[in-house]
């Protein structure tokens, strides 16, 4: 039996305090199915208190110079970096990613972004443009409400909270209630670093209560949400009553276009990796692999061979590449999509429904071949290690299929001719495209077209999401 961690306080005005509510939410280890912690089921009145603290702290925080805010954020970055190992263990247990991967992805990326925003706060020119007699200045939007997901629990918090803080905003955060523990650890670090009271506040709880209270609150000037498209639409609708600024990072069903002159083995191998990262629980996962129709069988065989090397196992086991899905709901969802693919006639080349593991929410690597563009598994976001391989006639047909989606978050293109690959990338209606396996860039703007969202995160573009523009006419 595991000791259960008590994290039932919420963080308001620089202190861990009791929630107004008495409800509790259990946090489950997805590998063992054991309760490992409890957090508060926050209330709308908790949001009122947190927002009042953020509003009171805003004048002083926004009046600091960028260099002064940079010094605060730099202290957080240093402390968090010192505790990277501890944070890795927490997030791995919290949401199930194998330790080695979690160190690089779940912790390495957000630590890089905390440091980047600390640096950017000190370097960004908020008064950088004159137009005739007008001085154009950028000012912090105000109190930001941030609502974050479970699949990259620390990274998504950092992209919102630290960009907003660097811009001079104050923040009320509702982290995921599914995998919240690494965020609590970050708040402890911010507290130790001496972040002024009220600048960063945390209220735990469920989206329909705490999330909606944040989105609706008249003293929240902007809400930034990452999650499902369905939930994002609800956030936008609630926020509309107060006409506040809204940033949304939502779902994806991204296409990986392997052109006819590409090295198929290399492209398929990298494509499987881009699909299965974080056990497929990634909004940018390249889940649709588009290949020349006459090479469908070859591509499916290659993908299945590569996928079989993605060992399913406990996050603490060194050989594990695929950890568990985050909870029982996600397990049932992914299995149902695999069932649907079989029912609709796709070729199940590799079946991951049964893993041999009796405890934990595990699904193994799954590959479908001969998928048609109208099948459910080709249209809907599955959020699991499930790859759909689709054939196309020619380059124009490949672009058409890639763009035939309500989403537009990410994508990939492979070609022996880099210029050709870039031309195709420019035709794809999506916010990010990997060309020939290009590396992820933590400071490049990140966000989507269509129903994948509004706005951009990361780097200078992410900072500017939290700024208003003012013209001073002289």
């Amino acid at each position: 039996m595991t000791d259960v961690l008590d994290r039932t306080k919420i963080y308001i005005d620089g202190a861990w305090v009791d929630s107004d509510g008495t409800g509790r939410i259990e946090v489950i280890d997805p590998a063992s199915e054991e309760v490992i912690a409890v957090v508060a089921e926050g209330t709308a009145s908790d949001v009122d208190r947190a927002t009042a603290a953020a509003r009171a702290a805003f004048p002083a925080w926004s009046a600091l110079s960028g260099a002064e805010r940079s010094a605060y954020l730099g202290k957080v970055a240093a402390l968090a970096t010192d505790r990277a190992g501890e944070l890795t263990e927490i997030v791995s247990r919290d949401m199930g990613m194998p330790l080695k991967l979690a160190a690089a992805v779940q912790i390495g990326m957000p630590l890089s972004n905390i440091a980047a925003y600390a640096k950017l706060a000190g370097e960004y020119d908020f008064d950088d443009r004159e137009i005739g007699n007008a001085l154009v200045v950028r000012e912090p939007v105000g109190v930001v409400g941030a609502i974050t997901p479970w699949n990259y629990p620390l990274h998504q918090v950092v992209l919102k909270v630290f960009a907003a803080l660097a811009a001079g905003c104050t923040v009320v955060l509702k982290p995921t209630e599914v995998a919240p523990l690494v965020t609590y650890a970050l708040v402890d670090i911010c507290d130790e670093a001496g972040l002024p009271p009220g600048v960063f506040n945390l209220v735990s709880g469920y989206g329909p209560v705490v999330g909606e209270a944040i989105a609706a609150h008249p003293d929240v000037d902007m809400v930034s949400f990452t999650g499902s498209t369905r939930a994002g639409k609800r956030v936008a609708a609630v926020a509309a009553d107060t006409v506040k600024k809204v940033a949304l990072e939502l779902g994806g069903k991204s296409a990986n276009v392997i052109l006819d002159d590409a090295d198929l083995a290399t492209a398929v191998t990298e494509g499987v990796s881009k699909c299965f990262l974080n056990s497929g629980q990634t909004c940018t996962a390249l889940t649709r692999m588009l290949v020349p129709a006459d090479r469908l069988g070859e591509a499916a065989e290659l993908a299945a061979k590569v996928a079989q090397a993605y060992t399913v196992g406990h996050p603490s086991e060194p050989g594990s590449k695929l950890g568990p899905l985050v909870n029982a709901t996600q397990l049932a969802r992914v299995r149902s999509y695999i069932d649907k693919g079989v029912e609709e006639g796709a070729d199940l080349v590799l079946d991951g429904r049964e893993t041999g593991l009796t405890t934990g929410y595990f699904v193994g690597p799954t590959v479908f071949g001969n998928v048609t563009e109208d099948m459910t598994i080709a249209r809907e976001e599955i959020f699991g290690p499930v790859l759909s391989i689709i054939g196309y006639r020619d380059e124009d047909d490949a672009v058409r299929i890639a763009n035939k989606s309500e989403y537009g978050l990410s994508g990939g293109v492979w070609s022996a001719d880099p210029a050709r690959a870039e031309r195709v990338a420019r035709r794809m209606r999506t916010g990010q495209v990997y060309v020939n396996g290009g590396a992820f860039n933590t400071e490049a703007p990140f966000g989507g077209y269509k129903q994948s969202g509004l706005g951009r995160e990361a780097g200078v573009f992410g900072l500017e999401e939290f700024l208003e523009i003012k013209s001073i006419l002289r």
Side-chain angles (χ1 to χ4, degrees), residues 129-370:
R129 183 174 300 181
E130 294 191 35
I131 302 173
N133 69 322
L135 173 64
V136 180
V137 300
R138 292 175 173 85
E139 299 178 340
V141 70
V143 175
V144 172
I147 305 170
T148 56
W150 51 260
N151 59 328
Y152 291 91
L154 190 62
H155 191 231
Q156 292 301 322
V157 166
V158 166
L159 286 178
K160 299 179 190 306
V161 171
F162 283 82
L165 296 179
C169 301
T170 55
V171 179
V172 177
L173 168 68
K174 190 207 91 66
T176 172
E177 73 280 5
V178 175
L181 300 181
V182 73
T183 301
Y184 281 70
L186 176 65
V187 175
D188 285 336
I189 289 169
C190 291
D191 187 77
E192 184 179 338
L195 209 60
V199 168
F200 181 18
N201 307 273
L202 178 151
V203 180
S204 56
Y206 292 117
V209 177
V210 174
E212 292 209 8
I214 289 172
H217 205 290
D219 282 334
V220 171
D221 299 293
M222 174 181 174
V223 61
S224 179
F225 170 86
T226 296
S228 70
T229 296
R230 176 190 57 79
K233 290 176 180 179
R234 177 61 184 167
V235 167
V238 172
D241 280 346
T242 49
V243 199
K244 58 172 55 73
K245 186 175 182 180
V246 175
L248 304 172
E249 196 269 283
L250 307 176
K253 192 67 184 178
S254 300
N256 189 19
V257 179
I258 302 176
L259 295 172
D260 54 12
D261 62 345
D263 181 325
L264 188 66
T266 300
V268 167
T269 299
E270 178 67 17
V272 168
S273 173
K274 288 288 199 299
C275 179
F276 288 172
L277 179 65
N278 201 22
S279 296
Q281 299 170 126
T282 301
C283 52
T284 58
L286 303 186
T287 54
R288 293 185 294 151
M289 182 178 287
L290 277 53
V291 302
D294 59 1
R295 303 191 75 178
L296 261 172
E298 183 184 357
E301 184 179 343
L302 278 168
K305 183 178 179 181
V306 172
Q308 285 172 335
Y310 280 73
T311 309
V312 178
H314 194 282
S316 64
E317 294 174 0
S320 297
K321 287 189 174 182
L322 293 181
L325 301 179
V326 77
N327 57 24
T329 300
Q330 193 64 16
L331 175 65
R333 171 189 171 91
V334 172
R335 283 179 172 169
S336 72
Y337 273 110
I338 299 173
D339 292 342
K340 190 71 171 177
V342 173
E343 177 188 321
E344 293 185 354
D347 295 338
L348 185 56
V349 183
L350 184 63
D351 187 352
R353 286 174 290 187
E354 298 300 329
T355 64
L357 298 169
T358 57
T359 302
Y361 309 122
F362 293 94
V363 170
T366 300
V367 177
F368 280 102
N370 201 29

